């Protein structure tokens, strides 16, 4: 049973999600302790794929644990199978999608990151999405 650490609160409002994947994440000891205290922000985070077919998580802010000195916004390597990384890379380039983190959670004493292939919504798309949600709420009240 996954235990949620943090969730990206802008995913549902700013992006249209096409598919999601689960990845492990390479962390240092003080980062794990800080994650246990839920001191993490995924708001501006994004993933990039290097030329060596490695996937990296950028701009995830893990707060400092006690007095440990370390980089708060360093790039962290994500752990996935190479065929999954190639599939992500192909979808991202062909469909012009971006890879964003959705949530970070514990599974069997391991920290996992849920990433998604997503397309950024324009302002008018966001308004249309809000209108559709309001219509659904009204219809549910009637029936």
């Amino acid at each position: 049973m996954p235990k949620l650490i943090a969730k990206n609160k802008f995913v549902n409002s700013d992006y249209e999600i096409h598919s999601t994947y689960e990845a492990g994440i390479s962390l240092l000891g003080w980062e794990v302790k800080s994650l246990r205290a839920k001191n993490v922000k995924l708001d501006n985070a994004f993933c990039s794929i290097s030329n060596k077919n490695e996937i990296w998580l950028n701009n995830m802010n893990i707060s400092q644990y006690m007095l440990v000195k370390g980089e708060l916004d360093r790039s962290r390597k994500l752990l996935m199978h190479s065929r999954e990384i190639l599939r992500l890379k192909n979808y991202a380039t062909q469909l012009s999608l971006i890879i964003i983190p959705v949530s970070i959670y514990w599974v069997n004493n391991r920290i996992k990151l849920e990433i998604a292939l997503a397309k950024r919504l324009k302002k008018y798309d966001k308004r249309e999405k809000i209108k559709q949600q309001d219509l659904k709420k009204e219809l549910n009240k009637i029936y």
Side-chain angles (χ1 to χ4, degrees):
M1 187 77 180
K3 183 181 174 187
L4 187 67
I5 297 171
K7 193 172 185 178
N8 190 344
K9 58 186 174 185
F10 297 113
V11 168
N12 292 330
S13 61
D14 291 352
Y15 298 99
E16 178 185 341
I17 296 176
H18 288 276
S19 60
T20 60
Y21 297 89
E22 184 179 67
I25 185 167
S26 177
L27 296 170
L28 300 175
W30 68 270
E31 293 173 331
V32 175
K33 289 182 178 184
S34 187
L35 283 173
R36 281 191 193 276
K38 298 184 179 185
N39 294 330
V40 62
K41 291 184 182 174
L42 293 173
D43 298 344
N44 296 325
F46 65 95
C47 297
S48 60
I49 299 175
S50 68
N51 293 337
K52 297 179 183 178
N53 290 330
E54 295 176 337
I55 188 163
W56 294 87
L57 178 65
N58 305 311
N59 288 351
M60 182 175 78
N61 188 347
I62 297 178
S63 298
Q64 183 178 4
Y65 179 75
M66 295 183 133
L67 298 175
V68 177
K69 303 266 180 172
E71 290 183 58
L72 303 179
D73 291 328
R74 73 176 182 91
S75 296
R76 294 164 180 91
K77 187 176 180 180
L78 297 182
L79 308 172
M80 294 179 77
H81 290 286
S82 59
R83 64 181 179 275
E84 286 182 317
I85 295 173
L86 288 173
R87 187 181 310 134
L88 278 172
K89 188 175 184 178
N90 289 337
Y91 283 142
T93 54
Q94 289 175 357
L95 302 174
S96 65
L97 301 174
I98 56 174
I99 306 168
I100 56 168
V102 176
S103 63
I104 187 165
Y105 51 90
W106 288 96
V107 175
N108 297 334
N109 290 330
R110 286 182 167 76
I111 296 174
K112 298 290 183 175
L113 183 76
E114 183 180 12
I115 58 175
L117 277 169
K119 187 171 189 174
R120 193 165 192 62
L121 291 176
K122 304 255 189 293
K123 205 170 211 176
Y124 57 85
D125 290 333
K126 290 181 196 177
R127 289 185 194 129
E128 188 65 33
K129 191 174 182 180
I130 292 170
K131 285 180 188 176
Q132 289 177 355
Q133 289 173 350
D134 289 342
L135 285 173
K136 284 182 184 178
K137 285 180 185 177
E138 288 179 22
L139 286 174
N140 288 337
K141 285 181 184 178
I142 293 172
Y143 294 111

